[in-house]
Amino acid sequence: MRAVIQRVKEASVTVSGSVISEIGQGYLILLGVETEDTQEDIDWLAGKISKLRVFGDENGAMNKSILDVNGEVIVVSQFTLHASTKKGNRPSFIKAARPEIAIPLYEGFVLELEKQLDTKVQTGKFGAMMDVALINDGPVTITIDTKNRE
């Protein structure tokens, strides 16, 4: 699994002209699922994100987690995070999981993150054309790949 975590002041997802998710301070997480991903990837990534300390403390140092600031989260499926650009100019998405594999893993990640954060996590709409809007806070953008844990 590959995630791009953006610390935001606010974010929203719109599908076919209707806002389906919106949050205030928190994370907008773009999540790419790979064919080889498992429950172990879900557990590790959700744990890592829930404990990630990228929010400012009273001294302005990034010392607080999303839990510490009672932040909100939107998770958006993003198969293009697994794009390979090694050959030619047209990206290959061969490593991205097909929907029959990706959807249960994506949904499992959302459920595990809700468990870790003890709150509802907003989502995009899997496979839909989405307009994702955000006000990046910082900007702070972190990438995490479960295949690069060491």
Side-chain angles (χ1 to χ4, degrees):
M1 284 188 167
R2 196 169 283 167
V4 174
I5 301 108
Q6 295 179 300
R7 188 179 76 182
V8 298
K9 292 181 180 181
E10 62 184 59
S12 65
V13 178
T14 302
V15 176
S16 300
S18 296
V19 175
I20 63 166
S21 295
E22 61 184 334
I23 62 168
Q25 178 188 33
Y27 290 148
L28 170 66
I29 301 171
L30 305 176
L31 182 72
V33 179
E34 205 173 323
T35 304
E36 294 83 28
D37 289 332
T38 66
Q39 184 65 43
E40 183 182 333
D41 294 291
I42 289 171
D43 295 343
W44 183 84
L45 185 59
K48 192 72 162 174
I49 290 172
S50 66
K51 294 174 188 80
L52 194 63
R53 296 185 310 163
V54 296
F55 290 92
D57 64 12
E58 54 282 345
N59 298 317
M62 285 198 277
N63 246 345
K64 292 189 175 188
S65 72
I66 188 110
L67 290 163
D68 297 327
V69 299
N70 295 315
E72 300 175 283
V73 177
I74 295 178
V75 178
V76 175
S77 61
Q78 186 81 44
F79 77 93
T80 60
L81 291 178
H82 289 290
S84 173
T85 56
K86 289 181 182 179
K87 292 183 181 179
N89 294 316
R90 184 171 182 229
S92 168
F93 303 105
I94 195 121
K95 289 186 111 181
R98 306 277 312 147
E100 58 273 11
I101 294 170
I103 292 172
L105 291 169
Y106 168 76
E107 291 173 348
F109 173 77
V110 170
L111 289 173
E112 182 59 29
L113 196 56
E114 286 179 336
K115 187 170 120 184
Q116 296 270 341
L117 299 176
D118 194 30
T119 192
K120 176 78 174 137
V121 169
Q122 302 291 313
T123 62
K125 184 174 180 185
F126 193 95
M129 288 298 295
M130 295 174 271
D131 294 329
V132 179
L134 68 126
I135 297 177
N136 202 318
D137 183 12
V140 174
T141 303
I142 308 288
T143 60
I144 301 175
D145 192 321
T146 62
K147 304 302 186 254
N148 295 325
R149 295 183 200 187
E150 297 174 22

